[in-house]
Amino acid sequence: MKENIKMLSCLLLISIGTFAQKDKIKEAQSLFDKGNSQEALAILTKTEYLILNAPDEDKSDYYFLKGNVLKDLAVKNIDAANNFTLASQSYQDVFLYENESGKFKWTVKANMALKDMKASLVNGAMADFKAGNFKESAEKSYKVYLFDKKDTLNLCNAAASSINAKDFNAAVTYYEILKKINYSGKGVRYYATNKKTKEEDTFISPKARESAIQQGLYEKPRTESIPSKKIEINSNLAYAYLENKDYPKAESTYNYVLELNPNYIDAYINLAYLKLQMKKDLADEISSLGTTPAEMKQYDKLNAKKDDIARSAIPYLKKVLTLEPKNQDATKTLLGVYRSLDMNAEYNALKAGM
């Protein structure tokens, strides 16, 4: 009899918890309908523990509402990138519980919300980039990539935005992923002009574009070939390495760029800059030395190494001037190197040719 009483107590607690959760969902839904998403989220967050023992159908209601609330906050640009991610997770929970229950109440709407979120993130990333908010643009582009990893263009945009934001750690992470998946960006884009808006739209395939044209919605089809971005990707990755003072990886990556294009002037200039930056770091180390015998010995060693590094920049700068004789940046830098190494004959010859 006591066991029955205990079982009955447990069932009553579960029942009370379920009713309490339903009431909280209704309260949160009411606040959400009135536009008070932050208050609705606070209620849902505080009562999430109650959903653990609820039926799958109630869980589906809860996570669909939570996804909608988080999505609304993100669309309002309130911690957009993070809230979009959390909203996506909530919608994924909807798919999970409705698949388990076999009752697909919110699946279609949750799927549509995910697609809408992706479009909002893409548009938000573009708007942030145009406004100069590069870090925010990078975060949103990366979130889009996480939504749909087949759409690698968003990862490329995240990497480029990170370079503009001078967030070189993030840039290295994103560009290394692009290299790992062998992304080149090469492809074809299919355009047609919307008769109503008079603006060009892109299509995923020639068939999709042709269908829109046949329906009378579009005209003036245009196809554009997109060249490979491998040089740009590796050059930017090398630059990010360089800014992080990871000189071996930067040098290796710039050399790979030159394998792709032996006449790529920026790679030669940046390799020269890399050597001169290494020289500067050594000079800073030398200036910090004292006057003990051990430190004086270290001074001579580092000073000789410093000159060798500066000398190693010369071939890169001369190559630039071979490819582009009037390149002022390369000329000025090379003159500075000659002067620092007391290479007076070379300095005077280059100066006379200016």
Side-chain angles (χ1 to χ4, degrees):
M1 184 65 180
K2 289 182 179 179
E3 290 300 321
N4 290 336
I5 291 173
K6 287 182 179 178
M7 185 178 294
L8 181 60
S9 298
C10 289
L11 290 173
L12 284 171
L13 287 172
I14 292 171
S15 179
I16 291 169
T18 300
F19 283 123
Q21 179 59 43
K22 285 184 176 180
D23 287 341
K24 291 299 181 182
I25 290 176
K26 288 179 181 178
E27 185 182 351
Q29 181 70 60
S30 177
L31 287 167
F32 174 64
D33 291 340
K34 293 175 183 177
N36 300 321
S37 292
Q38 287 181 313
E39 291 88 342
L41 180 60
I43 290 173
L44 292 171
T45 301
K46 287 179 182 178
T47 59
E48 188 161 7
Y49 72 95
L50 293 172
I51 203 69
L52 296 175
N53 295 315
D56 286 341
E57 191 172 352
D58 290 346
K59 289 178 181 177
S60 175
D61 290 341
Y62 173 87
Y63 285 110
F64 181 67
L65 176 57
K66 187 177 181 183
N68 289 341
V69 169
L70 289 163
K71 178 192 168 192
D72 183 62
L73 290 171
V75 168
K76 291 175 180 174
N77 213 27
I78 299 172
D79 196 9
N82 185 51
N83 279 329
F84 270 127
T85 299
L86 294 173
S88 175
Q89 292 170 357
S90 291
Y91 289 134
Q92 296 295 337
D93 284 334
V94 172
F95 301 148
L96 172 66
Y97 292 120
E98 293 202 345
N99 187 56
E100 288 181 357
S101 69
K103 297 178 180 179
F104 300 98
K105 183 178 180 181
W106 302 117
T107 293
V108 173
K109 288 187 176 180
N111 192 47
M112 289 174 63
L114 281 172
K115 290 181 179 178
D116 184 51
M117 280 200 310
K118 180 180 177 182
S120 296
L121 269 178
V122 170
N123 293 335
M126 290 177 63
D128 281 334
F129 191 90
K130 289 177 181 177
N133 301 322
F134 301 120
K135 187 175 179 62
E136 292 83 355
S137 178
E139 289 175 352
K140 289 175 183 175
S141 291
Y142 185 60
K143 295 296 183 185
V144 178
Y145 168 70
L146 293 179
F147 281 155
D148 182 4
K149 291 192 175 182
K150 292 180 181 178
D151 195 349
T152 47
L153 177 60
N154 292 296
L155 180 58
C156 191
N157 290 340
S161 295
S162 296
I163 288 286
N164 281 292
K166 300 188 184 303
D167 186 355
F168 299 111
N169 288 329
V172 165
T173 298
Y174 300 151
Y175 278 123
E176 284 183 342
I177 296 173
L178 286 168
K179 282 197 71 175
K180 187 176 180 179
I181 63 178
N182 200 30
Y183 174 82
S184 71
K186 188 175 182 180
V188 179
R189 282 186 187 154
Y190 306 99
Y191 296 96
T193 301
N194 186 307
K195 287 184 177 181
K196 187 175 181 180
T197 65
K198 304 302 179 184
E199 294 182 357
E200 272 195 330
D201 292 332
T202 57
F203 294 81
I204 61 172
S205 69
K207 287 184 178 180
R209 179 177 64 184
E210 185 59 30
S211 175
I213 291 172
Q214 288 179 358
Q215 292 175 50
L217 302 174
Y218 285 83
E219 61 182 355
K220 301 177 183 176
R222 179 175 70 87
T223 300
E224 179 182 60
S225 294
I226 306 168
S228 171
K229 293 183 178 180
K230 273 198 171 183
I231 288 178
E232 176 189 334
I233 289 168
N234 284 280
S235 184
N236 285 346
L237 175 58
Y239 176 68
Y241 283 141
L242 180 56
E243 288 297 312
N244 279 346
K245 294 187 179 295
D246 191 340
Y247 300 131
K249 285 186 177 179
E251 185 170 6
S252 175
T253 308
Y254 276 128
N255 284 330
Y256 176 65
V257 170
L258 291 174
E259 288 179 22
L260 296 173
N261 181 0
N263 295 326
Y264 194 65
I265 288 177
D266 284 352
Y268 289 112
I269 289 176
N270 286 329
L271 278 167
Y273 173 78
L274 182 155
K275 297 297 184 182
L276 296 178
Q277 190 61 38
M278 290 173 65
K279 173 195 170 185
K280 181 180 179 300
D281 290 351
L282 273 179
D284 291 341
E285 186 178 348
I286 289 170
S287 66
S288 68
L289 294 173
T291 56
T292 66
E295 286 175 308
M296 292 303 294
K297 186 177 181 180
Q298 180 72 356
Y299 172 89
D300 292 335
K301 182 180 178 180
L302 291 178
N303 203 44
K305 185 178 180 181
K306 175 173 68 72
D307 288 345
D308 287 340
I309 290 173
R311 200 171 286 108
S312 69
I314 293 174
Y316 299 125
L317 295 167
K318 291 176 74 173
K319 180 65 176 181
V320 172
L321 294 177
T322 299
L323 295 169
E324 194 177 287
K326 299 297 182 180
N327 190 298
Q328 293 298 311
D329 288 337
T331 301
K332 290 177 182 178
T333 303
L334 186 53
L335 284 170
V337 174
Y338 284 153
R339 187 188 296 114
S340 71
L341 296 172
D342 294 326
M343 298 174 67
N344 297 322
E346 291 82 354
Y347 176 89
N348 291 330
L350 182 57
K351 188 75 173 174
M354 292 178 65

